[in-house]
């Protein structure tokens, strides 16, 4: 199997993009990635589109074929990949396998979602289409509801506190405010949350014990990467290639209730172990990580299951600043889903794009992890049902 | 790259299956395929689900994760693949790449669709979600409409006749009546179509010049295959392995109007060429083929573009019986989409399953091509926008 590298990345500002179609969003980031890879008029062999909701939200199918034509990349092969909010990383994984197989040399992976256009749907109901259609959703359980119950269990079992959750929100909104691609640009302060006379209004309970600031926004957006065999990367692209040193993917039960210990995110542990094993690296080798903080609790729980901290220690570490820039393991220097936003099909690709920016040392010093060489991403599907992880390495 | 083989197949009777959920349908054919492969309690490394419309029709996403849990295949990797009506073949292609890469050894691919459950949708409008959302569908163009216009051009350019189209319908419904998995079991006769006093009622114009009997039905159904490296096939499965000797995939313009010659199905030619080149075989080597006859015209046009007949000769060949059992190149001995049915996400997988039945010599003599060793499938996405082909070979 050949080593696969990323030679081009592209992203557009996430947020509300009423004026653009889903295809527009996908095309914009794709063009940036193709340009970043220095491909010029050269085509690609295959295109993967990551998307969760085009059928439901835009009443559109066959989006991958449409994108290939829109980008004048005919007759490239084209498929769309759906794996809920982990669609982005799944699409990159399939692009990686396509190149590793030896059948394809140049692959574009574009992830996108236009979620604010939820005609006849509430965003929460749209996202709940990934829950169990008989035993979860009909009883009113949604993703925020699951996250709330999960947080309560974590508090009871590990002594997690509201202050630890807030520490994640503060960090990620602070970083997001520095990220030109982020949806949420507002800096929040501890005082603003606790002492503000309007705190109850500013930061109301959303799914007890989670409040509004514990949740990611509903965003439109897209991100794209260009992949090629590492051995060809230096002949093609003008930028330092980033190697996908390892990937992992694992599934867990469809419903939370079937798990022996619902606070044990088995698929997160397993997908991460696979990625580290394939990369022949370990969690302590990672210089910078992007985790899937759709809810603040997830960043904390994932930071433990990935192996950055011991079980039950992630909240304390976040509160002590150990996940901030310049500290032990900087997490979500992009602002994460919490601030960059979470257009579901785009997220897994955006995480990889942000790590590529870090490993190419292209970010302003307020967000750049100095001399970052090893990066990690974790994209979370369902409520931990389907996890995809990558270990990324600067290729020199 | 490793050779990839099919060691297990499964299919359920297509038709109207109100009592089963989409997940039920996918699970039934998957269990048959896993059993056929002789896996027993052994798990698989990865699962691909081919589906076009779960989001629209069932308001369900993350179906691949749900299937893995349903089948007790945790923690296998799982992704859903969408490529319109060619989703099935796209999913098999991605399963093939996953194994060829060396990362996975045992892969289940299940394609399914529950199309008769079109709550708030007409089936034709659902299928039209693959057309161009600005310049096609809003003007009333649907897939049957495109097929009608395409047929008219073919008649004008190549002298195609109604009798040639009818010859395809007669053959495929005759074969479908012999196939226990087929949706349409009714045998039609030339007399019944032309001379019957109720012919206008029996076989009304649907999209001039195409009539009802030129069209496939709207079906529920599923089909599944188990893939593994050829070198391991004989150690695992009890059946003769079938090698995926070559695959091809190519895209064409999103809209028909942009094609220089709309009767030239460039992606069909290109995907087929790729498949034959990779297999180091040629069209005349093929013993039996499954083509994508969503409309009778497509079987004829594809039989030419694949290379079985010269351009403009496919209709005459069909009328002369050259695509029937025991003749030059038997096409759609399953009854094709026309009679087996067309649950869109299942179709590309079902085509491969039917060719595996042929290459394993498992069919009754009324449908079995004697000593068949080389098979071919063509799965047609959009209106020729995205084509996936396979050349299959009996492994001994």
């Amino acid at each position: 199997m050949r080593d696969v590298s990323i030679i081009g990345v592209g992203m557009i500002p996430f947020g509300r993009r009423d004026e653009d179609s889903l295809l527009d969003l996908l095309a914009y980031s794709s063009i940036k990635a193709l340009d970043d890879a220095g491909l010029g008029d050269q085509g690609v062999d295959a295109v993967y589109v990551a998307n969760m909701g085009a059928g439901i939200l835009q009443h559109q199918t066959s989006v991958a074929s449409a994108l290939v034509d829109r980008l004048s990349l005919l007759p490239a092969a084209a498929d769309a990949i759906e794996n809920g909010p982990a669609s982005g990383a799944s699409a990159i994984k399939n692009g990686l396998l396509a190149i590793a197989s030896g059948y394809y040399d140049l692959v574009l992976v574009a992830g996108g979602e236009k979620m604010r256009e939820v005609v006849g749907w509430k965003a929460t109901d749209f996202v709940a289409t990934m829950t169990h259609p008989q035993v979860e959703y009909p009883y009113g359980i949604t993703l925020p509801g699951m996250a709330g119950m999960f947080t309560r269990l974590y508090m009871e079992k590990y002594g997690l506190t509201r202050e630890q959750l807030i520490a994640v929100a503060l960090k990620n909104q602070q970083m997001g405010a520095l990220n030109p691609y982020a949806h949420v640009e507002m800096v929040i302060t501890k005082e603003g949350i606790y002492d503000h006379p309007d705190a109850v209004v500013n930061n109301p309970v959303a799914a007890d014990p989670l409040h509004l600031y514990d949740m990611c926004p509903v965003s439109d957006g897209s991100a794209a990467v260009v992949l090629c065999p590492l051995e060809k990367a230096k002949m093609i692209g003008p930028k330092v290639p980033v190697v996908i040193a390892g990937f992992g993917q694992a599934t867990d039960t469809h419903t939370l209730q079937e798990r022996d210990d619902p606070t044990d995110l088995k698929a997160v542990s397993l997908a991460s172990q696979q990625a580290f094993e394939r990369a022949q690296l370990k969690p302590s080798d990672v210089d910078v990580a992007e985790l899937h903080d759709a809810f603040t609790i997830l960043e904390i729980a994932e930071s433990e299951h990935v192996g950055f901290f011991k079980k039950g220690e992630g909240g304390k570490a976040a509160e002590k600043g150990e996940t901030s820039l310049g500290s032990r393991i900087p997490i979500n220097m992009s602002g994460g889903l919490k601030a960059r936003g979470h257009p579901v099909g785009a997220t897994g690709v955006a995480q990889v794009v942000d790590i590529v920016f870090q490993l190419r040392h292209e970010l302003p010093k307020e967000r750049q992890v100095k001399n970052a060489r090893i990066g990690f991403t974790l994209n979370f599907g369902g409520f931990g049902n389907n996890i995809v992880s990558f270990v990324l390495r600067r290729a020199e």
Side-chain angles (χ1 to χ4, degrees), chain A:
Chain A
M1 56 193 76
R2 309 192 283 183
D3 280 334
V4 177
S5 65
I6 300 165
I7 55 167
V9 296
M11 183 149 48
I12 59 170
F14 289 9
R16 181 163 193 144
R17 303 195 52 132
D18 293 345
E19 71 285 8
D20 299 312
S21 71
L22 172 63
L23 206 60
D24 289 337
L25 299 179
L26 288 164
Y28 299 155
S29 62
S30 296
I31 290 166
K32 291 179 80 168
L34 294 164
D35 185 55
D36 187 59
L39 291 192
D41 289 337
Q42 188 177 358
V44 300
D45 302 317
V47 173
Y48 285 93
V49 168
N51 175 263
M52 172 176 166
I56 296 175
L57 302 175
Q58 283 81 39
H59 295 165
Q60 205 176 343
T61 59
S62 303
V63 176
S65 311
L67 182 65
V68 166
D69 187 18
R70 169 72 177 270
L71 295 171
S72 297
L73 294 173
L74 296 174
D79 300 315
I81 306 286
E82 192 269 318
N83 178 17
S87 298
S90 269
I92 293 178
K93 182 205 72 171
N94 281 290
L96 178 154
L97 295 175
I99 292 174
S101 76
Y103 281 111
Y104 293 110
D105 276 347
L106 268 174
V107 173
L108 170 70
V109 181
E113 207 79 51
K114 191 159 153 63
M115 287 182 71
R116 309 222 31 133
E117 178 179 67
V118 278
V119 183
W121 285 77
K122 287 184 182 171
T124 301
D125 293 311
F126 159 59
V127 173
T129 60
M130 75 179 93
T131 63
H132 196 290
Q134 277 87 44
V135 307
E136 289 182 332
Y137 187 59
Y139 295 93
I141 301 176
T142 61
L143 271 291
M146 286 180 185
M149 291 188 284
F150 181 88
T151 308
R152 177 65 66 198
L153 288 173
Y154 235 82
M155 287 176 160
E156 288 174 6
K157 189 161 182 181
Y158 296 109
L160 177 84
T161 65
R162 284 276 318 131
E163 288 68 27
Q164 292 167 2
L165 295 168
I166 290 288
V168 173
L170 293 173
K171 167 178 66 71
N172 291 0
Q173 289 208 199
Q174 185 193 347
M175 299 315 289
L178 299 168
N179 179 356
Y181 297 111
H183 184 175
V184 178
E185 297 169 351
M186 182 180 65
V187 174
I188 52 174
T189 61
K190 208 164 176 180
E191 295 67 35
I193 290 173
Y194 288 107
D195 305 332
H196 196 278
D198 290 333
V200 176
V201 178
N202 280 349
N203 189 26
V205 172
D208 188 50
L210 296 175
H211 291 236
L212 179 66
Y213 287 146
D214 290 299
M215 316 241 161
C216 67
V218 173
S219 315
D220 303 332
S222 79
V225 298
V226 177
L227 308 176
C228 84
L230 178 59
E231 74 238 26
K232 297 195 178 176
K234 288 186 183 175
M235 289 182 282
I236 299 173
K239 304 285 179 77
V240 179
V242 169
V243 188
I244 306 181
F247 75 93
Q249 183 176 21
T251 45
D252 201 346
T253 63
H254 194 178
T255 66
L256 264 172
Q257 67 189 17
E258 291 174 278
R259 300 180 191 168
D260 297 334
D261 174 359
T263 63
D264 185 14
L265 297 170
K266 282 185 185 171
V268 173
S269 304
L270 196 48
S272 305
Q273 280 166 20
Q274 288 173 9
F276 283 118
E277 276 168 24
R278 286 177 175 139
Q280 299 182 283
L281 289 167
K282 49 191 190 304
S284 59
D285 293 322
V286 174
D287 297 313
V288 58
E290 288 283 320
L291 301 183
H292 191 110
D293 58 327
F295 308 100
T296 49
I297 178 64
L298 290 186
E299 180 173 313
I300 291 171
E302 288 161 11
S303 72
E304 300 169 2
H305 288 81
V306 168
F308 295 139
F309 303 106
K310 284 186 191 151
K311 201 74 190 288
E313 301 292 319
K316 292 170 210 160
E319 199 175 13
K320 280 193 247 167
E322 293 182 8
T323 57
S324 298
L325 188 68
S327 192
R328 192 165 147 195
I329 171 67
I331 294 174
N332 289 330
M333 296 297 96
S334 65
L337 285 60
K338 176 78 190 78
R340 184 181 54 221
H342 185 22
V344 284
T347 288
V349 183
Q351 292 179 313
V352 169
V353 170
D354 271 307
I355 292 295
V356 169
F357 288 150
Q358 288 282 358
L359 301 185
R360 295 200 311 208
H361 307 160
E362 289 179 346
L363 294 170
K365 68 178 190 309
E366 295 80 18
R367 292 205 293 126
Q368 177 68 51
V369 173
K370 270 188 201 162
N371 303 318
R373 302 189 61 79
I374 309 290
F376 180 86
T377 63
L378 187 127
N379 199 190
F380 191 89
F383 198 89
N385 304 7
N386 199 329
I387 307 295
V388 186
S389 281
F390 294 112
V391 174
L392 302 159
R393 182 168 49 78
R394 183 180 164 98
E396 57 167 26

